[in-house]
Structures are given as C-alpha cells and as structure tokens.
Amino acid sequence: MATRKLHLNVNLLHSGVYASAWRRPESDPHAGFDVGHYVNVARVAERGKFDAIFLADTPAITDRVDYRPIQSLEPTIVLASVAAATTHIGLIATASTTYNEPYNIARRFATLDHASGGRSGWNAVTTADAAAGRNFGLPAVLEHRARYDRAKEFVEVVHKLWDSWEDDAFVGDKASARFVDTGKVHAINHRGQYYSVDGPLNVPRSPQGRPVTVQAGGSGDGRDLAAAQADAVFTLAQSVEEGVAYARDLRARAVAYGRASDSIVILPGLATVIGSTEAEAKRRQDELWELVPIEYSLARLAGTLHVSPDRLELDKPLPDLPLPANANQTMFLGTVALARKDNLTVRQLLKALGGGVGHRFIIGTPEAIADDIETWFRAGAADGFNLMPDVLPTGLEVFVDEVVPLLQRRGIFRSEYEGRTLRDHFGLERPPSRYAKRAGAAIPA
Ligand SMILES: Cc1cc2nc3c(=O)[nH]c(=O)nc-3n(C[C@H](O)[C@H](O)[C@H](O)COP(=O)(O)O)c2cc1C
C-alpha cells in the first residue's frame, strides 16, 4: 500500500483570492483577461510539483466588475493553451450541469484529455447564481434539489459517453481499410428524466479513460452527488474537526454506493498570505485589506447570506440568520461558522474573508503554513488543499519556493512527478469502459 501523499491544487482566481490583488504594485490589472497569465501561473505550479490548476467558472458576470476582476475567459479554452505549454500539471475546469448539455461537456473534456496527454478534470457544479439563469432564459435559479437531481443524471450521461469507446476501438489499418472497430464503439441509449442521449461520443476513449470528475457542493445533495460520481471534491472547512467530520461522512456515503472509502480525494480550500515573519504576513494582509472598499465586501457578504446589507452592523456580531432555501449552502454555513468560531464582529468577519466567500485563510510564515497543512493532512481532515494565494503569481511563487520544500522534507509531498496523468497525481485508478466486453459478459443495453 503506497504511503499517503498530500495533493496540492492552485485555484487560479484571476489576480489572486484577495479582491484587491490586482491593485498590488506587482500585479498586472489586465492579467485576468490574459491567457499568458494563466500559462505563467501553471508553470509556477508545475515547478512546485502541484497536482493541478483549477479554473472556476460561472456563465455570467456575478461580481462587481466595476471594482475587481471576474471569472471571464472560457476555462477549457484557456486550459488547452496551458496544456500546450506544460507537461505534467493537471488541468481542472468548471462547467455547469445546469447551463450545458452532457454531450458537449463529454466531448470538450475528452478532447482536453487527448490534447494534454491525460491531464483533464471537470468540476461539475450546478451554478447557484441567478445571473447565470437569466443568460439562459431562466428567470430564477432552479430549486436546490432539482439542480442536483439534474446534475446526477447529467454526470451519469457524461460518464457513459466517456466509456462509449473501448480502449482499442481505433484500428487505423491502412491495408485492410479498417479505421475503427465499430464493434467496440457503443451507443449508450440513455433515457432518463432530464436527458435522452443515444451516443456514442464522437471522440475516442481518452488517455485517462475518463477525465477526472470533481464536485464542489457540501450540502446533503452535493455530498450525495460526490459520493456517487466524483473522483475528487473541493470543500470548505474552517476547523480540523469540521474537516474530519466531512471526510468521515463523505467516505461512508461512497461506501454505501459500493465504492472504496478512499476513492475520493478531499481538497478543502485554503487561502494564504505569507510573510517571512508573522508580523510581515499581517502587514501584507492589512495592505491588501485596506485596498478593499468596505461597502464592496459588505455587499458581497450580504449576497452570500441572502440578506440586505443594512441588516449587517459593522461593529456587531452577525445576526442569527435562517439558511435560505435555495442558497449556496456551503458558503452560507462556512461564513457563519467562521464568524461564530472566533466570535467576530461583521467588520472583523469582512477582513477575515478578504472580500471573498468563506474559505479558510492562513496568515503566517512558511513554517506556520507547513505545520497547519501537515496537521490537517495527518488528522485525515484533508487529502490536500485547493490553494488560493492572496496575489498571483507572487503569492504562489513564495509558496512554491518556501512552503513546498518544507512539505517535501517532511516526506508528505512529492519531490518529483511519478506519473503523467492527473489520475496518476491523485493516485486514482484508470477506470475500464463499462461497455468493454469481458469474456462471456453480456453487453449492457
Ligand atoms: C472550492 C470551490 C469551488 C467552486 N467553484 C465553483 C465554480 O467554479 N462555479 C460555480 O458555479 N460554483 C462553484 N462552487 C460552488 C459550488 O458549486 C456550490 O454551488 C456550492 O458549494 C454550494 O453547494 P451546496 O448548496 O451543495 O452546499 C465552488 C465551491 C467550492 C467549495
């Protein structure tokens, strides 16, 4: 049994996780719209032997673009450029299960897997933002449960399409004019509540068999989808105890679906502000914070909590708020947990959030950050982290130069890539095609 190794992704949020990152002297304000920036950050992550870079996405303007960068460029096209400029780093992009069709998503990520030699990953999200719905003729966000019911069938159809070619279907025999053995290319004939898809996919089976499937919702519905279909999950946890409880629950759900308990890689978000001393790190946090207009982060917090901003008094604790029916449950609960954990006033909470949405921040020296990561990893609260450096690329460069060597010396993080595919990096099996004929086995209808 291989020793358990830590996994590290970078969540490539345009100029950095801090809302004011683009205003730093060292930052290029245009970086978020520049494919070259993503290639550069990916190369830094690859130099640090990271597992993958991740591009979040929402098909709409969901933030105050008058003030800060937004998710903009289509992530799989950006990752295709990154693939051509890198050799090992995994390439994970978000694509919505509510505002796409399974056939198109299966084709896009299988193609990225071919283009990258097996490094593609799909973060399957249901998209909780109302603004996206209005770009697709939906006046409001679909109800939480309905979004996940649709997502479950959506992911199932994509997996079937990825399996629709057997590994050796391509023949390419010029002499016999046999290009493909069509006996090894299967219609999926999916008939479900939301989708009717004949297939097969028109892309041969990709290097990983199936690109990696990621899920990022911590609600009961989200966990059920992850337990049934995900290879990795992005989570949000504010304490080791919360991380351990989540991991135990998700692993039990996976076993209930007949999967191995360690078949899912659990990656909480971790935002970092690094300094050579704690005081320097705090000073850097203050500088970044002072560049965030408070009415902006107050409006953002009010959005996450589904309340009007004037219900949030800056120098008072958060009022007691009910969990909104159709909210982004993970972000709501994560934000409230952060406020209650340290009994923060709204003003202190806004600073702790850095103008963001509830992920855990660590402000400190490389040693302190390595200690924190090692504690969560050894406690089983995380298999690794979805890192969100304060400013990109500088915050990641410091992490790669200062923290990664500490993690390597402690024997918990790789010093060299052992494999080439994202599944190799995550320590995940290459799944067989469900349609591949096993001696004597009937082909499923
Ligand atoms: C690390 C992380 C990354 C996420 N990335 C995206 C994203 O790219 N696009 C998106 O619409 N939602 C994203 N989400 C939000 C989730 O898809 C989901 O809506 C949210 O976690 C709430 O899920 P829940 O209601 O099941 O708890 C992300 C969440 C996390 C924790």
Side-chain angles (χ1 to χ4, degrees):
M1 171 88 161
T3 47
R4 197 167 153 253
K5 286 280 184 202
L6 182 77
H7 300 289
L8 289 174
N9 280 7
V10 58
N11 186 344
L12 216 171
L13 292 163
H14 25 77
S15 305
V17 69
Y18 247 93
S20 55
W22 67 280
R23 300 179 65 194
R24 289 279 301 184
E26 71 268 29
S27 295
D28 164 10
H30 192 262
F33 300 133
D34 172 7
V35 172
H37 167 69
Y38 296 87
V39 169
N40 179 29
V41 173
R43 285 191 170 139
V44 176
E46 189 165 78
R47 180 165 65 76
K49 305 290 184 286
F50 272 51
D51 295 62
I53 64 166
F54 160 59
L55 295 184
D57 190 56
T58 304
I61 292 184
T62 56
D63 209 332
R64 286 270 309 272
V65 70
D66 58 335
Y67 174 76
R68 64 163 305 173
I70 54 165
Q71 288 148 4
S72 169
L73 305 177
E74 202 287 320
T76 51
I77 295 177
V78 171
L79 292 183
S81 301
V82 173
T86 55
T87 55
H88 287 81
I89 194 79
L91 309 165
I92 304 174
T94 290
S96 175
T97 57
T98 303
Y99 304 116
N100 281 297
E101 287 294 329
Y103 199 94
N104 291 332
I105 292 302
R107 190 165 176 229
R108 203 185 301 169
F109 285 89
T111 302
L112 180 62
D113 208 40
H114 282 285
S116 64
R119 296 185 276 144
S120 156
W122 166 42
N123 180 33
V125 303
T126 65
T127 312
D129 293 286
R134 293 190 288 272
N135 290 336
F136 295 84
L138 285 175
V141 184
L142 287 177
E143 193 271 326
H144 194 275
R145 169 59 56 83
R147 277 189 275 127
Y148 275 105
D149 284 351
R150 176 191 285 259
K152 216 167 171 187
E153 188 181 330
F154 189 114
V155 176
E156 187 196 343
V157 175
V158 169
H159 286 190
K160 284 178 178 174
L161 288 167
W162 283 336
D163 282 353
S164 63
W165 287 57
E166 295 181 38
D167 286 317
D168 53 357
F170 174 71
V171 179
D173 182 21
K174 297 176 185 173
S176 67
R178 282 191 76 212
F179 185 67
V180 158
D181 174 352
T182 49
K184 294 185 174 177
V185 181
H186 306 273
I188 70 167
N189 299 325
H190 176 88
R191 299 287 177 272
Q193 183 183 353
Y194 300 102
Y195 301 104
S196 167
V197 179
D198 281 7
L201 193 62
N202 61 345
V203 178
R205 198 159 165 75
S206 70
Q208 293 188 97
R210 293 188 214 132
V212 166
T213 299
V214 180
Q215 194 278 341
S219 62
D221 296 328
R223 294 176 190 206
D224 188 56
L225 173 62
Q229 303 277 15
D231 299 304
V233 289
F234 295 154
T235 70
L236 189 155
Q238 292 295 347
S239 67
V240 170
E241 297 69 30
E242 210 187 310
V244 169
Y246 172 90
R248 281 217 184 101
D249 178 63
L250 185 71
R251 297 197 193 292
R253 288 172 187 251
V255 169
Y257 274 105
R259 301 178 67 189
S261 66
D262 62 353
S263 56
I264 306 177
V265 178
I266 298 176
L267 304 165
L270 180 64
T272 54
V273 181
I274 308 176
S276 54
T277 65
E278 189 159 345
E280 188 198 303
K282 289 245 168 9
R283 223 178 6 261
R284 184 176 168 92
Q285 180 199 24
D286 292 344
E287 287 164 10
L288 282 159
W289 175 239
E290 270 133 35
L291 289 171
V292 181
I294 199 143
E295 74 275 358
Y296 162 77
S297 36
L298 191 62
R300 179 117 195 207
L301 175 62
T304 303
L305 300 175
H306 286 231
V307 289
S308 98
D310 53 29
R311 289 260 338 258
L312 304 174
E313 295 177 57
L314 285 174
D315 297 308
K316 290 234 175 88
L318 269 190
D320 287 333
L321 300 166
L323 174 66
N326 205 7
N328 176 326
Q329 298 182 13
T330 302
M331 303 305 181
F332 178 95
L333 296 169
T335 302
V336 173
L338 177 61
R340 301 292 181 239
K341 181 166 73 84
D342 304 329
N343 203 14
L344 304 176
T345 63
V346 169
R347 190 186 302 276
Q348 291 164 331
L349 175 61
L350 294 176
K351 183 172 182 181
L353 292 170
V357 284
H359 280 290
R360 185 168 75 95
F361 268 78
I362 183 160
I363 323 281
T365 62
E367 290 71 25
I369 291 172
D371 290 348
D372 176 275
I373 288 175
E374 184 173 10
T375 302
W376 279 63
F377 178 68
R378 294 202 187 283
D383 296 318
F385 290 91
N386 208 18
L387 208 73
M388 291 168 279
D390 52 359
V391 179
L392 288 171
T394 51
L396 179 64
E397 283 161 351
V398 176
F399 189 96
V400 164
D401 296 333
E402 313 272 342
V403 183
V404 166
L406 296 173
L407 298 171
Q408 289 166 334
R409 276 203 291 279
R410 295 174 190 202
I412 61 172
F413 189 57
R414 69 175 68 82
S415 302
E416 285 309 330
Y417 287 111
E418 282 121 25
R420 292 197 68 103
T421 71
L422 179 52
R423 284 183 181 278
D424 293 337
H425 304 337
F426 277 166
L428 297 167
E429 306 261 312
R430 183 180 187 281
S433 160
R434 73 193 67 199
Y435 301 107
K437 263 198 303 299
R438 288 181 299 284
I443 297 180

